[in-house]
Amino acid sequence: GYEIDQSLRFEDGSAAYLNRTPSSASNRKTWTWSSWVKRGNLGTHQDIFIAGSNASGQLSAQFSWNSNNGITVYATVSGGSADYYLVTNATYRDTSSWYHLLLVLDTTQSTSSNRLKLYVNGEQVTSFSSETYPSSNYDSAVNNNVLHTVGRFSVVNANPLDGYLGEVNFIDGAAKAPADFGETGTYGEWKPIEYEGSYGTNGFYLNFATASDMGDDKSGNTNDWTENNIAATDQMLDSPTNNFAT
């Protein structure tokens, strides 16, 4: 019976995004990103979560929809080869449903394929057209004290997200499992549950419940995000537990 009452709309023509730069670096080896996404426009590169700028030799990490409607997870320094790189064979083109996306990094694992895991609707994705995993004890750009953005590329207006984003949890310092964020419902559907764990120093929870402050961190930390080109009218009643026909 867990209910999500709202989501945040990202309209690609409005260049809507959130940004935050952590005051200090935290655990760059182990973290978890969980969010629900309802897609709008298809067939373009759309950035969901970015850390770093990929400019002037700075490390960048990207989590995106690609132009083939698959998912790309990517990290590199400008001009260098990828530190990790996953591109799904599966495509995600359903604009009427919510997808639960879970990305888990834990570079302390001895097996390379266990260092980076992607789950969609509770199921681990294992089929990739490109597949490169991070090295042992690799330090990602995520959780460094660099610019982080949600909804577009970091330093320029590029790759804007189009659709709705709901129930964003970021866990600093822990590798979580799908069962921490969702469960299988009566009809076999994947549905959200309340996350009840800790968040760590740079962790945050965005549920978009405050229309006047859509970047407000509800985790108990004060890791708030800055809204850009986002208005109170971008708070939507469409959510993973109250799915509207679109």
Side-chain angles (χ1 to χ4, degrees), residues 6-8 35-39 94-100 121 163-167 190 236-244:
Q6 63 281 312
S7 62
L8 175 58
S35 64
W36 289 80
V37 184
K38 187 174 185 180
R39 302 206 65 186
D94 187 353
T95 57
S96 67
S97 298
W98 284 84
Y99 292 105
H100 179 232
N121 292 340
Y164 302 160
L165 200 63
E167 195 75 358
W190 186 250
M236 312 305 292
L237 295 178
D238 198 333
S239 81
T241 59
N242 187 25
N243 188 21
F244 283 40

Side-chain angles (χ1 to χ4, degrees), residues 162-211:
D162 193 81
Y164 302 160
L165 200 63
E167 195 75 358
V168 177
N169 284 283
F170 179 77
I171 317 303
D172 173 6
K176 296 295 183 177
D180 289 297
F181 306 98
E183 64 184 5
T184 302
T186 305
Y187 304 102
E189 78 281 12
W190 186 250
K191 65 179 186 178
I193 62 173
E194 184 177 7
Y195 173 70
E196 296 181 338
S198 59
Y199 283 88
T201 302
N202 282 340
F204 54 86
Y205 170 44
L206 304 177
N207 67 355
F208 311 117
T210 307

Side-chain angles (χ1 to χ4, degrees), residues 35-49 62-73 88 90-94 97-101 118 120 159-165:
S35 64
W36 289 80
V37 184
K38 187 174 185 180
R39 302 206 65 186
N41 290 331
L42 303 178
T44 61
H45 178 178
Q46 300 178 28
D47 289 332
I48 301 168
F49 180 46
Q62 304 178 31
F63 182 29
S64 312
W65 299 116
N66 58 48
S67 58
N68 293 321
N69 297 311
I71 296 171
T72 297
V73 184
T88 64
T91 57
Y92 306 93
R93 296 175 293 184
D94 187 353
S97 298
W98 284 84
Y99 292 105
H100 179 232
L101 306 183
L118 172 66
V120 178
N159 311 329
L161 180 65
D162 193 81
Y164 302 160
L165 200 63

